[in-house]
Amino acid sequence: MDHVVVVGAGLAGVRTVEALRGRGFGGRITLVGRERHRPYDRPPLTKSVLLGESDTTFVDTDLAALRVAFRPGVSATALRPGAVETTEGELRYDGLVIATGADPVRLPGDGPQHVLRTLDDAHELRAALVPGARVVVAGAGWVGAEVATAARRAGCAVTVVEAGPAPLATAVGPEIGARTERWYDGIDLRLGAMVHSVEEGGVELVGGEFLDAHVVVAGIGVRPAVQWLADADLDLHNGVVVDEHLRASLPGTVAVGDCAAWWSRRFQDRLRVEHWDTALNAPEVAAASLLGEDAVYDPVPYFWSEQFGHMVQYAGHHPAGERLLYRGGPEGKWSAVWLRGDDTLAAVFAVDRPRDLVQGRRIIGAGSRLDAERLVDPDVPLRDC
Ligand code: FAD
């Protein structure tokens, strides 16, 4: 293999470049990125950057030492076998890495709205979060909750409009989500409400109510950034369909990170996980597979969120679970665990209980059984249950 093209210069893209070099690949590598920035981490955008504690979050990597031709500000527009079309001409390849991540979904309407996906988005939003500003955040998911945290901290008057019956309901279900409602103290949390359209000066809700706003933020989710592949001879379904080796249906092609829907041996399900840990670790497998090695990606997925002063962490895949049990009441530090019918652990959701997360992730990986009665006692370490 002489030339690998990596499309998407986010964490997954740059980690794949590092992994290719780490495995001794000596050919040419071209890294194509739509943004004008060098690769950076996104989790701090809604945390330290929005809170004004940091300005940049660049990934600590040496592109020159990696001997990668980095092409910032260049978008891939189409793919045919052996060649990627870009806004600056064609790039021929014999190995291809698709790492184009995800794009935020916008609200309908012509009024001004913010999304939060890029460093530039974060800087624009930060400038708008001034004391007294009326801020409407659509969506009480991970990004919405973190934006609301920052806006409240900045002294804004915050309304969160959530279509579901509870915050985080889409991600972890309404029952767990309801336990986080109390965190929205001082925020006008509208559950079961939807933005109909963003207008000049605010948002109109479904039903006709108008909420005045200086700042409107869409935190209603993302879609895999695969539009450029629409005409390619490649299986797409909720992202790029890849096997357990992260190989796509087009020979010589792997996909990795937020845009890739891989087959999980462990959960016997196709997963597309829009979280940092996947972008960090899956590239080792993607690089190995591209180089013809036999590597399998089969993690216990993990992510975290920092919201309203709480460290929220999740590991596993809860659709595989059948029974939901709690360790501790909603007023303090608590965890929720999903058990399968055979008492093995499918997933753990920990609020300010990092030990539960670490131990739970190991237990899920090992496939051990737990004693449900001991489990509900938060004083018994999870590993002893
Ligand atoms: P991306 O980081 O999206 O990188 C893809 C890159 O490809 C982008 O730079 C994009 O511009 C570029 N691109 C797209 N299309 C093209 C094209 N056609 N041509 C060229 N380039 C293209 N995860 C957690 O686990 N915990 C958190 O607390 C957390 N917080 C987050 C906060 C925010 C605000 C955001 C946005 C994400 C957060 N995440 C978090 C998720 C995590 O950051 C992502 O899972 C991770 O960034 C995915 O990396 P990626 O490289 O796959 O995609």
Side-chain angles (χ1 to χ4, degrees):
M1 197 178 295
D2 292 328
H3 186 203
V4 173
V5 170
V6 180
V7 184
L11 182 63
V14 74
R15 285 281 296 124
T16 310
V17 174
E18 291 174 349
L20 284 165
R21 289 299 185 222
R23 288 173 177 274
F25 176 66
R28 283 194 300 139
I29 304 180
T30 302
L31 175 63
V32 180
R34 185 171 60 188
E35 295 180 63
R36 299 201 168 271
H37 301 290
R38 61 192 168 87
Y40 59 88
D41 275 321
R42 290 179 207 276
L45 301 183
T46 29
K47 304 173 185 72
S48 58
V49 174
L50 218 47
L51 293 168
E53 293 160 2
S54 64
D55 290 330
T56 56
T57 66
F58 294 121
V59 174
D60 185 14
T61 193
D62 185 343
L63 295 176
L66 289 168
R67 290 175 292 114
V68 56
F70 177 40
R71 308 276 303 273
V74 176
S75 291
T77 52
L79 171 67
R80 56 192 169 74
V84 175
E85 303 289 343
T86 79
T87 45
E88 297 199 356
E90 183 185 89
L91 280 172
R92 298 204 63 81
Y93 69 83
D94 42 15
L96 176 67
V97 179
I98 300 173
T100 42
D103 288 324
V105 178
R106 288 171 184 272
L107 294 162
D110 297 330
Q113 62 178 287
H114 292 261
V115 291
L116 190 34
R117 183 74 196 176
T118 67
L119 190 53
D120 296 344
D121 294 339
H123 281 280
E124 275 172 32
L125 180 57
R126 181 168 89 183
L129 296 183
V130 294
R134 280 195 299 276
V135 178
V136 170
V137 181
W142 306 118
V143 165
E146 292 190 351
V147 169
T149 302
R152 186 175 72 178
R153 178 101 64 96
C156 305
V158 186
T159 301
V160 174
V161 178
E162 165 57 49
L168 303 182
T170 314
V172 290
E175 195 179 316
I176 292 184
R179 283 188 158 217
T180 72
E181 257 176 62
R182 62 183 62 227
W183 301 348
Y184 285 73
D185 185 35
I187 290 177
D188 178 16
L189 174 63
R190 309 284 191 97
L191 296 172
M194 272 178 85
V195 172
H196 174 266
S197 59
V198 185
E199 308 292 340
E200 205 57 52
V203 298
E204 187 185 324
L205 300 184
V206 171
E209 187 182 357
F210 193 85
L211 301 177
D212 290 334
H214 302 108
V215 182
V216 176
V217 187
I220 54 173
V222 296
R223 289 198 191 102
V226 293
Q227 297 84 338
W228 66 284
L229 296 166
D231 296 326
D233 186 14
L234 188 74
D235 283 353
L236 297 176
H237 182 69
N238 183 28
V240 181
V241 174
V242 290
D243 63 13
E244 57 198 12
H245 312 285
L246 304 181
R247 288 184 304 226
S249 59
L250 187 68
T253 306
V254 293
V256 68
D258 280 11
C259 68
W262 81 90
W263 179 253
S264 165
R265 263 190 204 176
R266 182 189 304 280
F267 296 105
Q268 288 292 297
D269 203 354
R270 188 164 292 288
L271 305 185
R272 191 176 65 75
V273 174
E274 296 158 357
H275 295 299
W276 185 85
D277 186 72
T278 304
L280 182 74
N281 291 311
E284 276 298 337
V285 173
S289 298
L290 196 63
L291 298 176
E293 297 168 36
D294 183 23
V296 170
Y297 187 57
D298 196 17
V300 175
Y302 161 73
F303 71 81
W304 82 99
S305 167
E306 296 164 36
Q307 43 184 278
F308 307 112
H310 297 282
M311 174 56 96
V312 175
Q313 294 167 292
Y314 174 97
H317 178 53
H318 62 269
E322 290 164 16
R323 249 183 321 158
L324 181 59
L325 300 171
Y326 293 99
R327 290 165 57 74
E331 63 291 337
K333 303 175 178 186
W334 53 275
S335 299
V337 296
W338 287 262
L339 284 187
R340 295 191 182 88
D342 62 0
D343 289 339
T344 56
L345 190 58
V348 55
F349 177 95
V351 175
D352 301 318
R353 288 179 64 95
R355 284 208 177 94
D356 277 3
L357 188 285
V358 172
Q359 293 174 15
R361 197 177 187 195
R362 278 198 204 118
I363 292 166
I364 297 167
S368 342
R369 288 198 163 78
L370 294 179
D371 178 335
E373 274 175 33
R374 287 171 66 75
L375 196 61
V376 293
D377 181 349
D379 294 331
V380 178
L382 209 49
R383 61 163 180 249
D384 297 335
C385 289

